[in-house]
């Protein structure tokens, strides 16, 4: 993955609701659940913590990252 691609990844620990909404399969409800469930140690926590279903996660996995502060 190039540095440019990494910059375009949506950080689930800091993204705004609008940024999360722009992801495929993520609407207002899931965006709010992601925000409410922060922080995440890794992006797979979205499924592990039952924030989004596996099928939705599969759509967004290559578009997100969970940066640590």
């Amino acid at each position: 993955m190039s540095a440019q691609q990494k910059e375009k990844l949506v950080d689930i620990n800091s993204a705004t609701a609008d940024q999360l909404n722009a992801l495929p399969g993520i609407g207002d409800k899931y965006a709010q659940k992601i925000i409410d469930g922060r922080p995440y140690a890794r992006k797979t926590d979205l499924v592990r913590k039952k924030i989004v279903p596996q099928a939705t996660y599969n759509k967004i996995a290559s578009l997100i990252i969970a940066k640590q502060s």
Side-chain angles (χ1 to χ4, degrees), residues 20 29-40 49 51:
L20 294 169
K29 190 174 129 204
Y30 282 142
Q32 192 57 54
K33 282 178 78 174
I34 291 169
I35 290 167
D36 292 344
R38 289 175 179 165
Y40 301 100
K49 293 180 172 183
I51 306 292

Side-chain angles (χ1 to χ4, degrees), residues 2 15 21 23-25 27 32 46-48 55 58 62-63 65:
S2 74
N21 268 325
L23 294 168
Q32 192 57 54
L46 290 180
V47 175
R48 194 175 58 77
N58 293 346
S62 63
L63 306 172
I65 193 167

